[in-house]
Amino acid sequence: MSTIRVYPSNAVIFREDEGISTQMFVTLAGSVEVTSSRATAPLAQLDAGSFFGEMSLLINIPRAATVKALDSCMLMSIEKKAFHTLLEQCPDVKVSVGKLLKERFLLKAIVSGVLPFFESIPSERMIRFSHELDIEDQVHKNDIVLRQQDEHDTHEPRFVFLVYGALEITSKHRKTSNKRQDNSVFLTPGCYLGPFTFERLNLRKGKVFARSAAVLLTCPFHKVLELFDEFPAAGAAANIAWFGERCDFASVLRHGILTQRFQAFLESEHSDENFLFFLDIEKFRVMEDDGERRDLSSHIRTQYLQPDAPKEVNLPAGIRDGLLEKMDKLTPADVVETTFFDEACDEIMRLMVKDSFPRFKKSLHFQNIVDTLDPNTTRKGSRLVAACHHFRDSLQILRPGHVDMKHMQLQRMMSTIQKSHARRKMSSGLAISQH
């Protein structure tokens, strides 16, 4: 059932954090303003033809913002029961609406910056990924959302994104401490969880439970890993976000910005020769032309291998001498294989992982990037905290809709409503007269 009502200027249509609501609204005339107590400026102004509050018809969340009339406006409200009756009668529409809702949640989360490692993945692929998610809107206070698994656990791990509500990560054990102590982390909308959560916080026997009613987006964790197999750079960013200083060196090498930061860090220490050697070997390995490989191998020799080279690398004498001897024996007819420097490169990688990489992870070059990816950052003013606020504020206006006023047949609807009221009034009058 729908109802048309006129609101005077400055009238509040609904307030932020009101209980579970049962109506959405279409603006027939005038305009409304959407505000939030967490935002310093209005979130949006919606004019005639727009709709708002539709989220309340689809999932069980309180109002995410306050909406008031900017001037005298006419709104049509649509009841939740009528809307769901329509969905039940039209299964195809129900499926489409469910897909659209998941798309909106995920894409809004990415735009808000709360899932930065997904930003490099094309939006059309993320839309397909969103269809593999489930919406859980019946999570009650104290429900267990995620539990740390052990070797005996047969349940498949899952990825959890918090749309609404509050969660708490808790454990009485830290891996590095023998003392039992309460270690809790509180999560707000825009935060996410997975099997990596407990490792990042260095917890044992950890669990996540709902501090209030909550709405979640979830999927089996292997779906996320499959996505990262397609897009290794995104997987590298996720590895850094999830494990911080415990991330692996390969993830840093796949992360464009961190690779640049690593090189800058080494340059600041005047110890970039190993990394430059590694980069040249990577170029060498993908060259298809033997002549180009031969030219680059000569450069590698003079730049890194021979005694007193400008960027001489610290290779064991056996590996260095063996390489130089093999290069001396090369004839013009010989093919320089792409694996020619593999042993030397593996040794240099081992040295970087053991020496320069641990130092890099303690530097600001690394920490500044990790802070923008860390899912558990609670420091005031951090980028992620601001992104979570942005995500929550945007729930009310995921994608402001627009209705073609020409097709709404407003006069016919108003006439029908007036006739309905007249019939009710007449019926009630007859009932009174009969008594």
Side-chain angles (χ1 to χ4, degrees):
M1 179 179 177
S2 61
T3 304
I4 293 178
R5 180 179 173 185
V6 175
Y7 290 82
S9 177
N10 292 320
V12 175
I13 290 89
F14 55 73
R15 295 185 184 278
E16 181 180 359
D17 293 328
E18 280 183 350
I20 305 301
S21 50
T22 60
Q23 295 174 314
M24 69 169 285
F25 297 86
V26 179
T27 309
L28 303 179
S31 58
V32 299
E33 182 180 67
V34 185
T35 61
S36 169
S37 61
R38 294 170 300 279
T40 56
L43 299 177
Q45 177 179 319
L46 305 178
D47 300 316
S50 61
F51 59 84
F52 57 93
E54 74 277 13
M55 200 61 55
S56 62
L57 303 190
L58 299 170
I59 57 175
N60 293 318
I61 61 173
R63 298 295 190 184
T66 296
V67 179
K68 72 174 183 178
L70 281 179
D71 47 32
S72 180
C73 64
M74 181 182 293
L75 304 179
M76 180 175 68
S77 65
I78 300 175
E79 296 292 334
K80 184 174 185 176
K81 184 177 180 180
F83 185 71
H84 278 273
T85 299
L86 170 66
L87 295 184
E88 293 300 327
Q89 293 174 350
C90 305
D92 292 345
V93 174
K94 185 176 183 179
V95 171
S96 298
V97 168
K99 286 184 176 180
L100 179 61
L101 184 60
K102 289 184 282 189
E103 288 176 19
R104 288 181 172 186
F105 276 144
L106 187 60
L107 295 181
K108 178 54 66 177
I110 294 171
V111 170
S112 297
V114 294
L115 297 173
F117 42 84
F118 283 150
E119 291 174 0
S120 63
I121 300 177
S123 58
E124 61 271 15
R125 180 63 182 91
M126 290 310 303
I127 288 174
R128 295 204 311 274
F129 173 70
S130 72
H131 298 163
E132 299 177 336
L133 301 172
D134 293 318
I135 296 177
E136 299 182 16
D137 65 344
Q138 298 296 326
V139 179
H140 304 292
K141 184 177 180 180
N142 294 325
D143 284 356
I144 300 296
V145 172
L146 195 68
R147 193 188 301 272
Q148 191 168 12
Q149 295 182 299
D150 56 31
E151 61 273 13
H152 305 297
D153 200 329
T154 58
H155 293 90
E156 183 174 14
R158 63 179 190 159
F159 181 82
V160 177
F161 178 77
L162 178 59
V163 175
Y164 170 79
L167 303 179
E168 181 178 350
I169 307 171
T170 184
S171 171
K172 294 186 181 298
H173 304 270
R174 284 192 183 272
K175 291 182 179 180
T176 56
S177 174
N178 294 324
K179 297 180 180 179
R180 290 174 60 87
Q181 53 183 335
D182 192 19
N183 301 289
S184 297
V185 175
F186 297 93
L187 303 179
T188 57
C191 293
Y192 60 90
L193 305 155
F196 50 82
T197 299
F198 308 103
E199 180 69 23
R200 177 65 189 265
L201 295 174
N202 202 30
L203 300 178
R204 290 188 298 111
K205 300 182 180 180
K207 64 180 179 180
V208 181
F209 68 92
R211 295 277 296 183
S212 65
V215 177
L216 311 173
L217 277 182
T218 67
C219 73
F221 192 62
H222 76 265
K223 294 289 185 182
V224 178
L225 298 181
E226 289 172 3
L227 186 66
F228 290 153
D229 285 341
E230 292 181 49
F231 301 94
N239 184 278
I240 294 161
W242 296 345
F243 299 108
E245 290 189 14
R246 296 185 182 88
C247 72
D248 56 50
F249 189 43
S251 294
V252 171
L253 295 179
R254 290 196 301 268
H255 191 280
I257 296 177
L258 269 179
T259 300
Q260 297 171 14
R261 293 288 182 91
F262 183 53
Q263 184 170 354
F265 167 75
L266 295 175
E267 288 174 354
S268 69
E269 290 195 332
H270 306 287
S271 59
D272 60 344
E273 63 280 351
N274 286 343
F275 187 65
L276 294 175
F277 175 76
F278 164 78
L279 292 179
D280 279 342
I281 298 301
E282 288 294 289
K283 293 177 186 176
F284 176 86
R285 285 170 168 168
V286 298
M287 284 181 170
E288 296 182 0
D289 183 76
D290 181 62
E292 292 180 355
R293 286 200 303 273
R294 186 179 290 271
D295 291 341
L296 184 54
S297 67
S298 297
H299 167 77
I300 291 171
R301 174 175 184 156
T302 57
Q303 187 75 3
Y304 306 106
L305 298 179
Q306 67 186 24
D308 299 322
K311 293 287 185 179
E312 185 177 359
V313 292
N314 185 24
L315 282 171
I319 296 177
R320 181 196 305 274
D321 294 343
L323 268 177
L324 293 174
E325 184 178 350
K326 285 166 59 178
M327 297 180 81
D328 288 338
K329 292 180 178 179
L330 284 174
T331 67
D334 291 334
V335 174
V336 184
E337 299 292 344
T338 56
T339 58
F340 191 84
F341 294 103
D342 278 5
E343 184 182 13
C345 189
D346 290 345
E347 177 62 21
I348 291 300
M349 282 285 288
R350 188 188 68 79
L351 290 175
M352 287 194 291
V353 169
K354 181 181 178 181
D355 181 37
S356 54
F357 184 50
R359 296 200 313 276
F360 170 64
K361 288 191 290 186
K362 296 184 183 301
S363 72
L364 289 178
H365 292 274
F366 180 81
Q367 294 296 336
N368 288 341
I369 294 294
V370 172
D371 284 347
T372 67
L373 299 171
D374 183 0
N376 300 311
T377 295
T378 55
R379 188 179 66 254
K380 184 178 180 181
S382 74
R383 173 184 163 183
L384 191 71
V385 171
C388 287
H389 287 321
H390 182 198
F391 172 77
R392 185 167 188 259
D393 291 339
S394 66
L395 285 183
Q396 190 62 39
I397 324 160
L398 289 173
R399 189 188 300 164
H402 198 80
V403 180
D404 188 344
M405 300 299 288
K406 293 180 180 179
H407 298 292
M408 289 198 65
Q409 299 176 318
L410 178 58
Q411 291 182 349
R412 182 181 298 179
M413 285 193 298
M414 292 184 68
S415 175
T416 302
I417 291 170
Q418 289 170 353
K419 289 178 182 178
S420 175
H421 281 299
R423 284 196 298 269
R424 289 180 185 176
K425 189 174 182 180
M426 185 180 297
S427 298
S428 61
L430 288 173
I432 293 172
S433 63
Q434 288 174 358
H435 286 295

